Amino acid sequence: MADGSGLRSIADQRVLVLDFGSQYAQLIARRVRENNVYCEIVRHDITVEQIAHHAPRGLILSGGPSSVYEPGAPRCDARLFNMGIPVLGICYGMQLACDTLGGKVDSAPAREYGRSQCIVTEHADLFAGVPDKIDVWMSHGDQVSRVSDDFVPLAKTGTCPIAAVKHKTLPVYAMQFHPEVTHTPLGGTILHNFLTAICGCSGTWRLGDFAKEAILKMRAQIGDARVICGLSGGVDSAVTAALLYRAIGPKLSCILVDNGLLRKDEQAGVIAEFTNHFKTDLHVVEGEKRFLEALAGVTEPQAKRKKIGYEFIECFKDEAKKIEDARFLAQGTLYPDVIESGAAPDGPAATIKLHHNVGGLPAELGFELVEPLRDLFKDEVRKLGLELGLPEDLVWRHPFPGPGLAVRCLGEVTKPRLDVLREADAIMIAEIKAAGLYRSTSQAFAVLLPVQSVGVMGDARTYENVVALRCVNTDDFMTADWSHLPYDVLARISTRIINEVKGVNRVCYDISSKPPATIEWE
Ligand code: XMP
């Protein structure tokens, strides 16, 4: 979580989200930033002294899975309501605000989850410009059953008589529903009202300013030393490198480890971009032979990941040793990674994401870290990439896992099998792009299955490989739905793969959502 030492000067108007374990805390922060107001997520038990250090314009108390009336439920420093800083409580945040300021929270007659219609009874400031009846998204088991006379009710629903309130004398507002989710269509207006009319934010935060400040900050941190940056072909490492290139130019050395598990033409693409456009000192490690030898005979998915992780670190270390005067290592860590890894084990979050990231480098390498993207969300990284002149094609590339095609080549990973997979994958992506669907889908790829199936080609029987197509839509990659691709696009992909890729006679489409399936097959 943010520690307050971040890029303070990039935002003199900032809002803090106090995280009570909501799955939506990051979404709230994103929505605030979409209003060009800088926003950070902080622990729920931040003290008023620490809050004062951030000098925020507003505080948002997130939702969370706990019940305020239960022992051990996460609470905030009660003094924050008297700081004179506007507070917005959402769901659990509302219950906490009302409980602290003299109201009562009870278990609702029925747990409410989903769309609900809300009647707005008071339109001043928070609900300005919002009609009398709005659709809202509810997700709660408890609700505020009584408020003290200090509160004015602002809205109600059929099952929740106190759905939004405001304090009469303190700048404290609260709502039971979630304005941050798209299922509350006017939630954006309500948040905008809070940020502008109530907090007085003028929406001056810009990514361009972020880039300028980040460059100055990196120059101060790095001085004359050399920085190594690993390139993976993905957008995060590319934007990190592009930003560093702006900051220190020739003092940047990039390493691309070609593990032989990259997609078709991927190595050539990265080389072209980082030598033609950025003219960086690029070291390409030809690791295919080494990785494929390590993977020979390995079929178990976790074992594959471990072997690849180990080889990657060895290759990177060997290459880094050759780069004299390197003192720093740049990593494309993003804000969600910072929050997730910073969540205390006894923190309020109900679920903690388990990372299976391969490609991380151990601290023993002895470099100091430079992480210029650690305050940004993925969509902000993409915008920044475009501002820095990276091509659209790279900036909008679907994510690709560190272990590469190894986890999409089910069974043993061999060069001939990888080549089949690469061809099939390239066809799938080309057709999805041709149909104009690449940007509206989150991740698309082909998987080579470890089974053979019978087919007929011409008059002859074939017994060949099966390729599965996977295409998903997701906001956060934690849950995902399979993409409902048009039949004609699926048909074209299938026909082309079977006709053009030697050794494949059957194509299937994966129609599983996550959960219970995962996005990758291994
Ligand atoms: P799953 O398969 O867990 O994937 O639903 C969620 C997202 O994470 C990516 N992924 C990985 N990324 N190293 C990575 O860097 C890995 O080992 C790894 N496994 C999965 C996956 O592509 C999807 O975007």
Side-chain angles (χ1 to χ4, degrees):
M1 295 214 185
D3 61 1
S5 63
L7 296 159
R8 177 175 327 289
S9 57
I10 62 170
D12 48 354
Q13 296 183 354
R14 59 175 53 208
V15 164
L16 300 182
V17 175
L18 276 65
D19 182 10
F20 291 89
S22 169
Q23 50 178 328
Y24 297 135
Q26 288 191 35
L27 197 53
I28 300 172
R30 275 176 62 168
R31 295 280 175 261
V32 174
R33 289 194 191 184
E34 280 165 14
N35 282 277
N36 292 320
V37 175
Y38 189 67
C39 183
E40 281 189 19
I41 300 173
V42 294
R43 284 185 58 98
H44 65 279
D45 51 5
I46 185 170
T47 62
V48 293
E49 290 77 17
Q50 289 165 325
I51 292 174
H53 178 66
H54 285 267
R57 287 285 177 110
L59 301 171
I60 299 180
L61 313 182
S62 84
S66 312
S67 287
V68 279
Y69 47 78
E70 276 178 358
R75 301 196 75 90
C76 59
D77 185 333
R79 296 173 297 164
L80 68 79
F81 296 107
N82 293 304
M83 292 178 84
I85 301 172
V87 178
L88 176 66
I90 296 175
C91 195
Y92 181 83
M94 166 173 184
Q95 296 157 16
L96 183 65
C98 293
D99 184 74
T100 310
L101 298 172
K104 187 155 175 7
V105 176
D106 285 312
S107 175
R111 207 188 126 72
E112 194 177 14
Y113 183 81
R115 277 198 181 80
S116 188
Q117 205 177 53
C118 181
I119 315 278
V120 177
T121 50
E122 165 65 62
H123 289 265
D125 49 21
L126 192 61
F127 290 103
V130 172
D132 292 346
K133 280 188 190 161
I134 54 170
D135 285 335
V136 297
W137 184 258
M138 290 283 207
S139 171
H140 65 118
D142 293 341
Q143 64 189 30
V144 174
S145 55
R146 182 166 48 76
V147 280
S148 71
D149 290 343
D150 294 329
F151 281 98
V152 185
L154 304 178
K156 60 185 177 190
T157 74
T159 51
C160 181
I162 310 176
V165 290
K166 105 185 216 191
H167 198 278
K168 283 183 187 157
T169 51
L170 302 172
V172 177
Y173 296 75
M175 60 189 69
Q176 182 56 60
F177 58 86
H178 289 270
E180 70 276 21
V181 303
T182 48
H183 305 298
T184 301
L186 287 173
T189 307
I190 298 167
L191 279 177
H192 182 77
N193 287 342
F194 176 70
L195 296 169
T196 54
I198 297 169
C199 299
C201 296
S202 42
T204 47
W205 186 62
R206 293 286 180 277
L207 264 178
D209 301 339
F210 171 88
K212 274 186 231 146
E213 292 266 353
I215 287 168
L216 292 178
K217 221 180 139 211
M218 283 191 292
R219 281 189 191 139
Q221 181 190 3
I222 296 162
D224 288 338
R226 179 165 289 280
V227 180
I228 296 181
C229 180
L231 293 178
S232 67
V235 58
D236 304 343
S237 64
V239 175
T240 303
L243 206 49
L244 270 158
Y245 184 70
R246 286 270 182 98
I248 57 168
K251 283 288 192 178
L252 171 67
S253 294
C254 293
I255 298 180
L256 170 67
V257 176
D258 184 348
N259 53 15
L261 306 166
L262 301 179
R263 287 165 287 191
K264 190 175 176 187
D265 299 331
E266 193 152 20
Q267 196 212 70
V270 176
I271 295 177
E273 188 54 39
F274 282 86
T275 51
N276 298 343
H277 190 73
F278 288 108
K279 311 226 179 297
T280 44
D281 170 38
L282 176 62
H283 300 240
V284 179
V285 183
E286 300 288 356
E288 181 180 55
K289 187 163 173 288
R290 179 173 176 167
F291 279 82
L292 293 190
E293 275 171 13
L295 285 168
V298 181
T299 55
E300 205 277 314
Q302 286 307 85
K304 284 183 186 174
R305 279 200 162 78
K306 279 195 192 127
K307 298 255 180 205
I308 295 165
Y310 175 81
E311 292 302 325
F312 177 80
I313 290 166
E314 290 305 302
C315 284
F316 200 94
K317 261 200 306 206
D318 290 349
E319 196 60 35
K321 265 189 224 146
K322 298 181 197 159
I323 302 174
E324 283 170 17
D325 72 347
R327 234 184 75 206
F328 292 90
L329 179 70
Q331 286 195 338
T333 314
L334 305 192
Y335 195 47
D337 308 326
V338 175
I339 296 166
E340 272 153 18
S341 59
D346 58 350
T351 49
I352 293 178
K353 182 176 164 189
L354 291 175
H355 281 276
H356 42 193
N357 208 7
V358 173
L361 291 159
E364 306 89 80
L365 284 186
F367 293 110
E368 284 177 52
L369 284 185
V370 183
E371 296 178 308
L373 309 182
R374 50 183 289 132
D375 290 294
L376 299 185
F377 288 108
K378 188 88 176 180
D379 48 343
E380 294 170 334
V381 171
R382 290 204 158 110
K383 266 196 230 157
L384 184 60
L386 291 175
E387 284 199 17
L388 293 170
L390 290 172
E392 294 236 348
D393 207 34
L394 171 57
V395 166
W396 288 104
R397 190 168 290 179
H398 289 172
F400 186 61
L405 296 181
V407 291
R408 297 178 179 172
C409 186
L410 275 50
E412 191 175 3
V413 182
T414 62
K415 174 121 167 74
R417 296 193 75 225
L418 286 168
D419 286 340
V420 167
L421 177 56
R422 264 190 275 268
E423 290 304 319
D425 186 71
I427 290 173
M428 178 178 187
I429 298 302
E431 288 299 332
I432 286 188
K433 283 187 176 164
L437 295 169
Y438 191 74
R439 285 276 290 275
S440 57
T441 51
S442 309
Q443 201 169 3
F445 54 90
V447 180
L448 185 65
L449 303 190
V451 287
Q452 310 240 281
S453 86
V454 173
V456 54
M457 242 177 217
D459 289 329
R461 175 187 188 273
T462 58
Y463 187 55
E464 290 179 327
N465 291 299
V466 182
V467 162
L469 308 176
R470 181 76 163 140
C471 186
V472 295
N473 282 69
T474 170
D475 280 335
D476 56 8
F477 296 88
M478 310 269 283
T479 61
D481 195 10
W482 58 278
S483 310
H484 296 211
L485 291 180
Y487 282 169
D488 58 328
V489 175
L490 286 169
R492 267 199 305 280
I493 298 172
S494 164
T495 309
R496 279 197 57 197
I497 290 178
I498 292 173
N499 285 342
E500 296 173 32
V501 185
K502 209 163 168 302
V504 177
N505 68 359
R506 193 174 296 265
V507 171
C508 311
Y509 189 46
D510 180 351
I511 52 169
S512 342
S513 58
K514 171 185 180 176
T518 52
I519 296 173
E520 302 289 345
W521 276 47
E522 286 194 337

